[in-house]
Amino acid sequence: MNGSTREVTTDLITLPGTPLADAVVNLVRTVQTPSVFNHSVRSYLFARLVAGRLDLAVGRDYDDSLLFAACVMHDLGVASDGAHCQRFEVEGADRAAEFLVGRGVSAADADEVWQAIALHTSPGIAERRGTLCVLVREGVALDFGGPLGTGHVEAVTDEQADAVHAAYPRLEMIRSLTDAIVAQAAENPKNAPRYTIPGEFLRERETFGRTRLEHACRSSRWGS
């Protein structure tokens, strides 16, 4: 790898070196499986690539610290130490917003993160709630490689994908995350309303042994 290529790769996988970002990482790393943690970080790295493809600039169009927080905490609702008393998207959004306000983030900014997390499984709604919601949903969707309907799969070259996956391996993410969502959904009927992602995942696993998303991901760009 020559110096120029190494520099580009380093920029691609570099995370924000701020106290807030460090606090977010320290929280999520301790309560998520390595597979789900890596997925959350990849979602941020991919969201930045989507932002570039859409000609969105940090500072002008979005706040990178909020994008990082929203992406890395977007699955906090299935954390091992959670209350697990409502659907995981909302539980994660509540916990993330509380965490941010406790570290000096304004209520308005924390609410932007709340919306991005709560709506990341809601196509057609997230896209109409501002740039942060768009980037979080697209970053998450891109990490699934296509089955979630992202229109930005081509935002990532094969070389970029290889660098991201080398730094943050997939570790059978699809199964690991689905297991976590289904386990949380099974704890309480309030966690899995009909026609929500957790509700349908739970019912598909109980009926078919796997979800339609797991099946679709087998032939997605990343495969797992």
Side-chain angles (χ1 to χ4, degrees):
M1 182 184 293
N2 61 41
S4 177
T5 302
R6 186 180 300 110
E7 204 171 288
V8 170
T9 299
T10 299
D11 289 344
L12 173 67
I13 63 174
T14 296
L15 306 184
T18 65
L20 179 60
D22 290 344
V24 169
V25 168
N26 290 338
L27 168 66
V28 176
R29 194 189 292 277
T30 59
V31 298
Q32 300 280 33
T33 65
S35 176
V36 175
F37 172 77
N38 285 0
H39 159 62
S40 300
V41 175
R42 288 194 309 270
S43 296
Y44 164 73
L45 299 177
F46 287 153
R48 289 196 307 192
L49 293 174
V50 172
R53 188 177 196 228
L54 296 176
D55 197 28
L56 299 172
V58 175
R60 184 191 71 194
D61 301 303
Y62 69 96
D63 184 318
D64 189 59
S65 66
L66 298 185
L67 179 63
F68 182 79
C71 286
V72 177
M73 293 195 286
H74 82 271
D75 281 328
L76 201 51
V78 293
S80 59
D81 64 340
H84 299 172
C85 58
Q86 55 190 327
R87 54 186 289 189
F88 84 95
E89 305 98 316
V90 176
E91 182 163 317
D94 285 349
R95 185 170 178 181
E98 181 180 5
F99 178 85
L100 293 174
V101 169
R103 279 150 186 80
V105 175
S106 71
D109 285 347
D111 186 61
E112 277 198 60
V113 171
W114 187 95
Q115 289 191 62
I117 294 174
L119 295 174
H120 81 271
T121 62
S122 300
I125 299 176
E127 292 85 351
R128 299 183 66 171
R129 298 308 303 163
T131 301
L132 187 65
C133 286
V134 169
L135 291 180
V136 171
R137 172 156 174 82
E138 291 299 335
V140 171
L142 189 48
D143 195 46
F144 281 82
L148 294 187
T150 178
H152 300 289
V153 173
E154 301 308 317
V156 182
T157 67
D158 289 341
E159 292 76 15
Q160 289 170 326
D162 288 345
V164 170
H165 287 129
Y168 297 97
R170 297 191 70 80
L171 305 177
E172 298 186 358
M173 179 275 288
I174 305 298
R175 188 185 71 182
S176 177
L177 179 56
T178 305
D179 285 349
I181 293 172
V182 169
Q184 196 261 18
E187 290 186 34
N188 187 325
K190 292 181 180 179
N191 298 345
R194 287 303 304 264
Y195 310 117
T196 63
I197 287 290
E200 294 311 294
F201 276 13
L202 176 61
R203 288 165 181 81
E204 288 171 2
R205 274 282 189 91
E206 290 175 339
T207 303
F208 306 112
R210 67 181 179 186
T211 65
R212 286 178 290 180
L213 180 63
E214 289 174 284
H215 177 73
C217 283
R218 289 187 173 187
S219 57
S220 72
R221 183 175 179 187
W222 316 132
S224 65

